[in-house]
């Protein structure tokens, strides 16, 4: 059954269904789902598609943006030296 993507309106015969906080929408790709549902970093405005960091209900993509926004004491959930440990980078 074709469904229109909630973000771009594209009609697609293999839509994905995403439910967030009781709201269900259909999308033609994850990129559109992220665009609609992902919170935005209060520092740089990017979509936060990872864990992010949060203080006082304000979400940041990383601790770096939080520090630039005047938040102190926040740290990323994964130490940066471990992020690429298995990738050979």
């Amino acid at each position: 059954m074709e469904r229109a993507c909630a973000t771009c309106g594209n009609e697609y015969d293999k839509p994905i269904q995403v439910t967030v906080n009781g709201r269900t929408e259909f999308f033609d790709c994850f990129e559109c789902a992220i665009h609609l549902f992902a919170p935005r970093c209060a520092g740089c405005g990017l979509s936060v598609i990872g864990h992010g960091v949060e203080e006082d209900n304000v979400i940041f993509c990383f601790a770096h943006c939080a520090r630039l926004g005047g938040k102190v004491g926040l740290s990323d959930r994964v130490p940066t030296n471990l992020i690429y440990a298995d990738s050979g980078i």
Side-chain angles (χ1 to χ4, degrees), residues 9-46:
N10 182 42
E11 294 281 337
Y12 192 58
D13 66 332
K14 297 173 189 73
I16 56 173
Q17 179 179 339
V18 178
T19 301
V20 176
N21 295 327
R23 177 180 173 189
T24 300
E25 298 288 354
F26 291 89
F27 302 94
D28 62 348
C29 64
F30 285 112
E31 181 180 4
C32 283
I34 289 167
H35 182 75
L36 185 67
F37 280 125
R40 303 280 178 201
C41 174
C44 67
L46 292 176

Side-chain angles (χ1 to χ4, degrees), residues 9 13 21-23 26 35 41 43 47-48 53 58-59 66 73 75-76 78 80 84:
D13 66 332
N21 295 327
R23 177 180 173 189
F26 291 89
H35 182 75
C41 174
S47 296
V48 180
V53 295
V58 178
I59 297 174
S75 60
D76 294 316
V78 175
T80 54
Y84 299 110

Side-chain angles (χ1 to χ4, degrees), residues 77-88:
R77 295 171 192 245
V78 175
T80 54
N81 64 332
L82 296 179
I83 292 175
Y84 299 110
D86 293 330
S87 67

